Amino acid sequence: MQRASNATAAQQAADRVFLPIAIGQTLAAAETLFLRAEFKEDGYLRGTSAQQYPPGGLRHRICRVLDHSRTPRLLAGATLAASAGLLLARGNRTAQIAAAAVIGTCNRLSEIRTPYGRDGADQMTAVITQYRALTALIPDPEVSDDLFLRAVNFQAGLSYAVSGIAKAFGSSWVQGDALLEVLGTEAYGSGPAAELLRRYPALCRALTVGTVVWESVFPLIYLLPREPARHALTAVKAFHVGVAAAMELPRFVWGFFGSHGAVGHVLDTRGASRTFEKTVAGVAGGVVIASALIAREKRRIAEQRRLGPKGAARLRHADGDVEYRVDRPADPDASRAVIVMECGLGQSLESWEWVAEGLARDHTVIRYHRPGYGLTTSGATSGELLAAVLRETGAEGEIVVVTHSIGSLSAASYLGERPFAGRVGKLIVVDGTDPALLDEDRTDRRRLGKFLQAQVYTLLAAITGIYEWAPNAVERQAGYTPDTQYSHVQFVFSPGNIVNSVREYRSMPTGDAVDRLAAVGKVLVLASDEFAEQQAVLAKKLGAGYELVHGSAHRSIIGYRRHAEKVEDAVRRFMDAC
């Protein structure tokens, strides 16, 4: 009796899932049947699948058929018939599975033919139909139906949460401007609802930020009592209807409405013995915890290496230590200039490894960590720390300062002051930070918000250890020897260093930085392709020479050996010419 009751509840939930799907796919198929020119070879929905295979092969021939202008209408006809079957198949599990398989297959072929022009509702529809076809392979109908509904429910909750979290890292969403920007486009801003929202920008901003909040916390719906949970789900439906009305997208709602049938089923059966969601959440949580512990252990090992005999040196100064490294030539020459290297924001002294390795063949090269980074615990200023390192190492004579990124502003804070006055004869700025641009970024709420969101994302990646398993910009733009790469990556993803980089970004002085840098007299600006125009402007402000390192990006200009060798060569030529 209980088994029959469960089967009935599951079938009723499946009916609630597939009714919106049938309506949405009927509208989509009808729309496709009325389109003709768009599917021709010069139309914006033309087939592109055959382009990825060499001519003459079997796959190319099959894809040529798929790319034909009549194929979309054939697929739409099949989808329309299957959608009618879904509408008539309420209570008929077998018919629903067959219709879902046809719709899923047609949608997949359409996606292969033209891999664009779809929205989130289309993607949810594809997920639902594919899950129904896959779970139908389970012999026990009760287990099959329950797994189908719980899988769709899990996908819905995950999709909303991921969408909200992704928006939280998008500056225009958190600042409340995203909807206004969308409604300002020709495609989505012509309807009466869009006009109403544009007329009340404060309301539009509130809706924008509210979208980020409710999507991010959607999984909390499973903690609510039954009635409040149903009201919350109704509010989500109202949101989708509002979006569809504002953007004039009549098909936008149906895929999401279909998933809500599964969400409602799970809300109604909470406490049941089957715990698909708990199992998935447990596995996911276990993976995250394991990843976080592995990343933490790797950072601990990297720190132990720094503390070991092969690590950087440390000097006691004022209220703490300063971490530094000195590289000297095999046959030191006291008449040669000492080269001091300033690191970029949140970057390790290892980031200079390739450049320092080459220059150290002829010069004493000094690198150090500014306050708060790495093992530098002293609260003294950068200039005070560097002066202490110079005294400790016995470095005398002329100083050449080489900076990267915001390191140029760090150098500006002590240039012209004792003991650097009269000793710094040359300055090389590698992709330096323009003080005026930094001031603009720090006072513009969107730019500052974008920076802070990027740092929060990096901090999240560091804490959870995601950076160990997914590609990240640090590793993509750096290619040191294995040990150096290991130390550099773990340094950049150290939570303490990330927090310190935010502090440094907010507090780095800019007032007279241009005058201090230009006062050196002999200045060279080296630019990456990524910031070529910015650096050309900075070079003019400083009255400096200008060179472009072709093919480089902001980090790779010193992180890739081939680019670093160009930087080294430019530094040598500049020092020899002046």
Side-chain angles (χ1 to χ4, degrees), residues 485-507:
Q485 183 87 341
Y486 181 93
S487 296
H488 176 63
V489 170
Q490 300 306 324
F491 181 98
V492 173
F493 283 101
S494 166
N497 291 329
I498 296 168
V499 172
N500 191 63
S501 67
V502 175
R503 177 201 62 78
E504 186 175 54
Y505 177 88
R506 298 295 300 273
S507 63

Side-chain angles (χ1 to χ4, degrees), residues 486-551:
Y486 181 93
S487 296
H488 176 63
V489 170
Q490 300 306 324
F491 181 98
V492 173
F493 283 101
S494 166
N497 291 329
I498 296 168
V499 172
N500 191 63
S501 67
V502 175
R503 177 201 62 78
E504 186 175 54
Y505 177 88
R506 298 295 300 273
S507 63
M508 183 66 74
T510 58
D512 57 351
V514 169
D515 294 335
R516 284 174 170 262
L517 294 172
V520 174
K522 299 173 182 177
V523 185
L524 172 66
V525 172
L526 299 177
S528 69
D529 273 343
E530 187 176 1
F531 295 118
E533 293 183 8
Q534 284 186 15
Q535 296 304 295
V537 172
L538 180 60
K540 288 182 179 179
K541 291 181 179 181
L542 300 178
Y546 173 83
E547 290 188 27
L548 179 65
V549 179
H550 292 286

Side-chain angles (χ1 to χ4, degrees), residues 21 55 123 184 245-246 441:
I21 297 299
Q123 294 168 3
D441 289 346

Side-chain angles (χ1 to χ4, degrees), residues 122-421:
D122 294 325
Q123 294 168 3
M124 184 59 72
T125 296
V127 166
I128 291 171
T129 54
Q130 290 168 15
Y131 280 2
R132 179 66 282 188
L134 289 173
T135 54
L137 299 175
I138 298 174
D140 188 325
E142 183 180 355
V143 174
S144 170
D145 295 348
D146 187 69
L147 181 60
F148 161 65
L149 292 167
R150 292 182 181 278
V152 172
N153 164 75
F154 186 80
Q155 183 70 48
L158 183 65
S159 298
Y160 283 129
V162 169
S163 177
I165 293 171
K167 288 182 176 70
F169 290 105
S171 177
S172 62
W173 280 96
V174 175
Q175 301 295 335
D177 299 325
L179 271 181
L180 286 171
E181 292 172 355
V182 172
L183 296 176
T185 63
E186 183 178 349
Y188 299 121
S190 58
E195 177 60 33
L196 178 65
L197 288 174
R198 282 200 300 270
R199 197 180 308 158
Y200 299 99
L203 172 62
C204 198
R205 287 195 175 92
L207 290 173
T208 304
V209 176
T211 299
V212 177
V213 174
W214 82 255
E215 286 188 339
S216 300
V217 303
F218 179 86
L220 296 181
I221 195 174
Y222 302 104
L223 303 180
L224 297 174
R226 180 169 299 180
E227 284 306 309
R230 287 197 168 278
H231 292 326
L233 200 58
T234 300
V236 173
K237 286 182 170 66
F239 165 82
H240 286 301
V241 171
V243 171
M247 298 184 180
E248 297 185 309
L249 296 171
R251 295 193 293 107
F252 182 75
V253 300
W254 303 108
F256 295 113
F257 281 8
S259 70
H260 292 173
V263 175
H265 175 72
V266 170
L267 291 173
D268 289 341
T269 57
R270 282 178 292 185
S273 59
R274 290 194 176 92
T275 55
F276 173 80
E277 295 82 2
K278 292 179 181 179
T279 301
V280 174
V283 172
V287 170
V288 171
I289 292 173
S291 175
L293 292 175
I294 291 171
R296 182 181 178 184
E297 180 63 16
K298 287 189 174 183
R299 290 194 296 269
R300 189 191 67 80
I301 293 172
E303 184 174 353
Q304 291 299 318
R305 287 183 177 181
R306 290 187 176 280
L307 292 167
K310 293 185 178 180
R314 284 181 296 162
L315 171 65
R316 188 71 183 173
H317 179 74
D319 57 340
D321 294 333
V322 54
E323 182 182 13
Y324 70 96
R325 177 168 176 173
V326 180
D327 297 290
R328 305 178 191 271
D331 186 17
D333 186 345
S335 65
R336 288 187 175 272
V338 175
I339 298 176
V340 169
M341 295 183 154
E342 285 279 356
C343 300
L345 185 74
Q347 300 297 293
S348 69
L349 55 79
E350 285 88 358
S351 65
W352 280 112
E353 190 70 14
W354 294 129
V355 182
E357 180 185 82
L359 292 174
R361 289 194 292 268
D362 305 296
H363 299 270
T364 296
V365 179
I366 294 176
R367 295 172 274 169
Y368 77 108
H369 281 144
R370 294 190 293 272
Y373 286 122
L375 301 178
T376 296
T377 57
S378 174
T381 65
S382 297
E384 291 169 340
L385 295 180
L386 182 55
V389 172
L390 289 170
R391 288 194 300 269
E392 176 70 14
T393 57
E396 299 179 353
E398 183 186 43
I399 297 174
V400 174
V401 178
V402 184
T403 73
H404 180 233
S405 190
I406 207 170
S408 59
L409 300 184
S410 175
S413 70
Y414 56 75
L415 290 174
E417 298 183 357
R418 298 179 63 182
F420 303 97

Side-chain angles (χ1 to χ4, degrees), residues 50-85:
Q51 297 176 5
Q52 55 188 314
Y53 301 113
L58 177 60
R59 286 185 292 186
H60 182 269
R61 292 197 297 272
I62 293 174
C63 286
R64 285 292 296 168
V65 174
L66 190 61
D67 291 346
H68 196 279
S69 60
R70 292 195 186 94
T71 301
R73 293 200 296 277
L74 293 175
L75 294 175
T79 299
L80 189 61
S83 299

